[in-house]
Every structure is written in structure tokens, then in C-alpha cells.
Amino acid sequence: MPEQRWRSAAGRHLPFALVLAITFLGFVRIVQYHWRQGVVLIGLALLVAALLRIMVTDEQAGLLAIRSRSVDALLYTGLGFAVIVVAMTIIGGPLER
């Protein structure tokens, strides 16, 4: 029984851990002076968060669940696309690569 409780507690945070891992990779790319790729990865992490928020139950969503499922998905999707569009449309700058 305790092992099952541990699995459910750990499983509840797996969607958030996946989004956090993708975001961490984005920050690694930014530190490596590939800022555009890093920001796009962060935008993709938000899109993955939206997809996971739609697919999993409220209990399984864990830390991804802030508001209702539809509001979370809408906000994650909108912000994800906005971050990607801004990253792709910036021209020039000191970190041009």
C-alpha cells in the first residue's frame, strides 16, 4: 500500500516535471548563446503544458492545474504561441544566431 501511495504522489507531478525539463533545456540553450532556440523551447514547453492539461485529469495535472481545465489550456496555448512568435520575429540584436 505505501508503494502505491508513493506512485500516485510522484505520478501527480510527472506532467509538471516534463514541462519543467523542457523549460530547463530552453534555459540551457539561452545560456549557450542560442537564445532563439531556447525561447522557442520555452514556448514549446507551454504548448506541452496545454496539451497535458487537456489530456490528464485534474488530480493527475498536479501543479499544472491552476484554474479550470479550459482556462488553463487556453492561457498556456496563447502564451506559448505568443512566446514563439515573438522569438521568431525579432531581428538583429546582440545575440544574433
Side-chain angles (χ1 to χ4, degrees):
M1 194 74 108
E3 182 179 341
Q4 186 180 15
R5 187 176 309 138
W6 179 84
R7 282 187 188 175
S8 66
R12 194 172 342 140
H13 298 295
L14 282 177
F16 182 71
L18 176 63
V19 171
L20 199 59
I22 297 170
T23 305
F24 177 76
L25 289 175
F27 281 121
V28 167
R29 293 303 289 166
I30 291 170
V31 170
Q32 294 173 341
Y33 294 101
H34 297 284
W35 68 269
R36 190 179 313 263
Q37 293 174 4
V39 173
V40 168
L41 276 172
I42 292 171
L44 287 175
L46 286 165
L47 294 177
V48 168
L51 182 66
L52 288 171
R53 186 64 179 109
I54 292 170
M55 291 177 56
V56 300
T57 65
D58 289 341
E59 294 81 28
Q60 293 171 331
L63 294 172
L64 290 178
I66 299 171
R67 295 168 187 85
S68 69
R69 182 180 295 189
S70 58
V71 172
D72 282 344
L74 180 68
L75 291 175
Y76 285 143
T77 303
L79 187 58
F81 279 125
V83 167
I84 292 171
V85 167
V86 168
M88 299 305 289
T89 57
I90 293 176
I91 300 172
L95 298 176
E96 180 66 30
R97 282 197 180 178

